[in-house]
Amino acid sequence: MSNDALNWIEQELAELAAKGLSANIRTIDSPMDAWVTIDGRRVLNFCANNYLGLANHPRLREAAKQAIDRYGIGPGAVRTIAGTTTLHIELERRLAEFKHAEACITFQSGFTANLATVPALMGDGDLIFSDELNHASIIDACRLSKARTIRYAHNDIDDLRRKLADNAQFRRRLIVSDGVFSMDGDIAPLDKLCEAAEEHDAILMVDDAHGEGVLGKGGRGIVDHFGLHGRVDIEVGTLSKAFGVVGGLVAGKKPIIDWLRQRGRPFLFSSAMTAPDVAACIEAVNILQESDELVARLWENARILRAGMQQLGFDTGRSQTPIIPLMLGEAPLAQQFSRKLFEKGLFAMAIGYPTVPMGKARIRVMNSAAHSKSDLEQALDIFEAVGKELRVI
């Protein structure tokens, strides 16, 4: 291919930069924790989804080391060909037990868990009802399924009910929603979604990526939060956020999990999680089953930080969770705000289009159980200084 054929890429990149929409990826030279080292500087970290501070927990590190000594590193091939380790079986059993689900299957990531699930259950001639603010992995999964997709207004049960009633003729129907919406931090009304699904004989699926380890008793997730065990057909989750490692999971009714082992394409055609990752995830489950201390600390830190931001005059949107968006509007302002924060010793990235709609750029502030009270106080001082300097507050 000639260079001329690729000129459009250079033009698109230049346009992104001119609009302030280019992704500027920082390089970290330390473990993921409350503080990280970037460009030789130690800065406060409010970017990571490391909700419980487990990404650098000594027990998880030790579990991973022991797994390497026993199992090595890579799985060698997909589980259906090369077999599966006892570690993978143990993790899936423990996750099902933890979440009070009939069964569980793990994937390489939360993204691939969605890509496996929706196309395995839905196809040409079926209909999907998807919240308009669902994660990109759900959107892509719906496209791959070849089913027709209807978007309903965000968290609007009345709109969903109308669309369910108007589209009763399809072979199979699926309602799918994020549990916690990652950019705004609001929670899906899963109890109402469950009622609508039962009334209209639809399958119900929730992607609980940002609810795992955060909502429910001891971090058991959104199904536990609403007390809906046995009524939600599919609960997708990730092991890369609150669990501090990497990987994805689908928990729910046993026939669905059995079907995903037969027809979930990322399970069939991509190698499994590595042994040290699986062992670290098992240890994360152990920690959560032993105590809810980290979950309680996370929520207390979120309360302190949100109250402080609101008192300073920041617009924190509609968040109900430890995700705290600082709504700034235009992407160039959000990027400038992020740069100023970094200059003062705080790492919090700007988020703009296409991750959020045009005109809805923000700094998404992610606190964790790893942050101390003094960390939060220092962070609020920095946010105040930058907010006043840029005349946001």
Side-chain angles (χ1 to χ4, degrees):
M1 182 178 290
S2 68
N3 289 334
D4 289 345
L6 299 178
N7 283 344
W8 67 272
I9 297 178
E10 297 291 344
Q11 294 168 3
E12 291 288 341
L13 289 171
E15 186 175 345
L16 286 177
K19 293 179 178 178
L21 297 175
S22 294
N24 176 29
I25 303 174
R26 297 281 189 181
T27 301
I28 299 174
D29 189 30
S30 66
M32 188 58 68
D33 220 324
W35 290 77
V36 291
T37 301
I38 299 175
D39 300 333
R41 295 182 58 198
R42 189 168 177 265
V43 295
L44 268 169
N45 181 17
F46 281 90
C47 272
N49 298 322
N50 183 27
Y51 287 112
L52 302 179
L54 294 179
N56 190 35
H57 196 286
R59 283 176 56 178
L60 271 68
R61 294 202 310 264
E62 182 59 29
K65 291 174 185 177
Q66 290 184 15
I68 290 172
D69 290 340
R70 180 174 178 183
Y71 294 95
I73 303 293
V78 300
R79 291 166 67 179
T80 52
I81 293 174
T84 193
T85 69
T86 54
L87 274 178
H88 289 85
I89 301 302
E90 175 69 5
L91 174 60
E92 290 168 349
R93 183 187 69 79
R94 294 293 304 283
L95 285 170
E97 176 186 277
F98 178 69
K99 298 183 72 60
H100 305 303
E102 290 182 14
C104 177
I105 183 174
T106 54
F107 293 90
Q108 304 83 359
S109 68
F111 202 114
T112 57
N114 278 326
L115 294 187
T117 304
V118 178
L121 296 174
M122 308 298 287
D124 193 17
D126 298 330
L127 180 60
I128 301 169
F129 300 89
S130 177
D131 188 290
E132 64 180 349
L133 294 187
N134 274 343
H135 189 264
S137 60
I138 296 175
I139 295 169
D140 287 355
C142 292
R143 289 170 175 163
L144 283 172
S145 75
K146 299 182 181 178
R148 181 185 169 194
T149 300
I150 293 178
R151 298 198 310 170
Y152 62 89
H154 177 55
N155 281 349
D156 188 333
I157 301 302
D158 291 336
D159 186 47
L160 172 61
R161 287 181 186 276
R162 283 192 296 271
K163 288 172 177 174
L164 282 164
D166 291 343
N167 295 275
Q169 73 276 20
F170 288 80
R171 182 182 60 168
R172 285 192 290 265
R173 296 185 298 170
L174 171 73
I175 300 168
V176 58
S177 174
D178 276 7
V180 174
F181 290 85
S182 61
M183 291 299 114
D184 293 303
D186 53 334
I187 301 172
L190 191 61
D191 52 344
K192 303 300 183 185
L193 291 173
C194 188
E195 290 173 3
E198 290 172 347
E199 289 169 9
H200 292 271
D201 195 26
I203 303 167
L204 178 60
M205 171 178 166
V206 62
D207 179 356
D208 200 30
H210 287 269
E212 300 285 1
V214 177
L215 296 177
K217 182 180 178 182
R220 283 168 172 78
I222 191 169
V223 173
D224 188 85
H225 174 75
F226 282 100
L228 296 172
H229 298 293
R231 294 177 63 190
V232 176
D233 301 296
I234 308 150
E235 187 178 1
V236 174
T238 182
L239 300 165
S240 65
K241 296 178 173 61
F243 281 79
V245 195
V246 71
L249 68 97
V250 180
K253 297 178 179 178
K254 189 175 183 300
I256 293 174
I257 305 307
D258 289 343
W259 180 244
L260 291 178
R261 294 188 194 280
Q262 303 298 320
R263 288 295 184 269
R265 291 176 71 82
F267 183 82
L268 297 172
F269 298 108
S270 187
S271 291
M273 296 166 61
T274 68
D277 289 328
V278 176
C281 288
I282 293 171
E283 193 58 31
V285 176
N286 290 339
I287 290 171
L288 286 173
Q289 286 189 317
E290 289 168 10
S291 170
D292 64 356
E293 177 187 355
L294 292 177
V295 178
R297 191 187 307 164
L298 167 68
W299 280 93
E300 175 62 10
N301 283 354
R303 184 193 65 79
I304 292 170
L305 200 60
R306 179 182 291 104
M309 293 290 195
Q310 292 174 346
Q311 188 173 358
L312 289 172
F314 285 107
D315 177 0
T316 60
R318 57 188 177 218
S319 177
Q320 302 166 272
T321 62
I323 299 169
I324 303 176
L326 298 189
M327 307 302 294
L328 297 173
E330 299 306 320
L333 173 60
Q335 290 199 346
Q336 185 183 17
F337 201 107
S338 176
R339 288 194 297 270
K340 292 287 186 182
L341 289 173
F342 190 76
E343 289 170 7
K344 296 181 185 298
L346 190 147
F347 180 38
M349 291 294 288
I351 296 178
Y353 181 84
T355 306
V356 295
M358 287 285 193
K360 298 287 186 180
R362 67 201 66 186
I363 304 292
R364 187 181 64 161
V365 184
M366 305 296 290
N367 68 94
S368 82
H371 289 112
S372 67
K373 295 297 187 293
S374 62
D375 291 339
L376 301 180
E377 291 168 0
Q378 186 173 344
L380 287 168
D381 288 343
I382 294 172
F383 278 107
E384 180 180 17
V386 175
K388 289 180 175 177
E389 182 179 345
L390 297 182
R391 298 183 178 181
V392 173
I393 56 173

